[in-house]
């Protein structure tokens, strides 16, 4: 995988269960569009309002194709609507990284 998307979420800690449900919705959807999800990382010790997600695509172009396709996919739209309805994401930051993996 050539590009990894790192998403840092600032969430409502009182709605962690809603965020976890949302995360479970997205885990298979990234694979549906050719990516590999590396998981969500939920608050445990320390800050209780930060969650992370990591997923990779073969290229930035394939990530952009995923973004376009997900905007029209019924399951993705349902996940977006769930987030809008429950308001558990306060904000998020998206960064792209090039993984350096063990050989």
């Amino acid at each position: 995988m050539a590009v990894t998307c790192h998403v840092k979420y600032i969430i409502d800690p009182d709605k962690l269960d809603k965020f976890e449900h949302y995360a479970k919705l997205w885990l298979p959807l990234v694979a549906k569009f050719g990516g590999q999800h590396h998981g969500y990382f939920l608050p445990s010790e320390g800050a209780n309002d930060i969650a992370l997600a990591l997923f990779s695509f073969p290229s930035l172009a394939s990530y952009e194709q995923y973004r376009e396709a997900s905007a029209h996919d019924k399951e993705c739209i349902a996940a977006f609507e769930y987030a809008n309805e429950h308001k558990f994401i306060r904000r998020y930051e998206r960064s792209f990284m090039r993984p350096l993996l063990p050989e």
Side-chain angles (χ1 to χ4, degrees), residues 14-30:
D14 294 326
K15 297 180 180 179
L16 180 58
D17 59 331
K18 302 282 189 210
F19 181 82
E20 187 169 345
H21 176 77
Y22 172 79
K24 288 178 181 176
L25 294 174
W26 276 105
L27 287 169
L29 294 176
V30 168

Side-chain angles (χ1 to χ4, degrees), residues 18-54:
K18 302 282 189 210
F19 181 82
E20 187 169 345
H21 176 77
Y22 172 79
K24 288 178 181 176
L25 294 174
W26 276 105
L27 287 169
L29 294 176
V30 168
K32 178 179 181 177
F33 294 100
Q36 178 184 0
H37 212 299
H38 307 294
Y40 282 84
F41 301 85
L42 307 178
S44 178
E45 297 296 323
N48 68 350
D49 65 343
I50 296 173
L52 304 173
L54 292 166

Side-chain angles (χ1 to χ4, degrees), residues 1-7 23 26-31 34-42 52-58 97-101:
M1 297 286 171
V3 65
T4 297
C5 183
H6 169 272
V7 185
W26 276 105
L27 287 169
L29 294 176
V30 168
Q36 178 184 0
H37 212 299
H38 307 294
Y40 282 84
F41 301 85
L42 307 178
L52 304 173
L54 292 166
F55 53 93
S56 298
F57 278 87
M97 301 177 176
R98 179 181 49 90
L100 178 63
L101 302 171

Side-chain angles (χ1 to χ4, degrees), residues 15 18 77-89:
K15 297 180 180 179
K18 302 282 189 210
I77 292 168
F80 290 132
E81 289 174 351
Y82 180 81
N84 286 331
E85 176 185 346
H86 294 286
K87 308 284 187 218
F88 45 80
I89 299 172

Side-chain angles (χ1 to χ4, degrees), residues 56-87:
S56 298
F57 278 87
S59 66
L60 190 55
S62 60
Y63 168 80
E64 291 170 355
Q65 291 170 348
Y66 148 77
R67 291 280 298 184
E68 175 63 27
S70 68
H72 305 288
D73 180 80
K74 199 172 8 174
E75 291 175 296
C76 295
I77 292 168
F80 290 132
E81 289 174 351
Y82 180 81
N84 286 331
E85 176 185 346
H86 294 286
K87 308 284 187 218

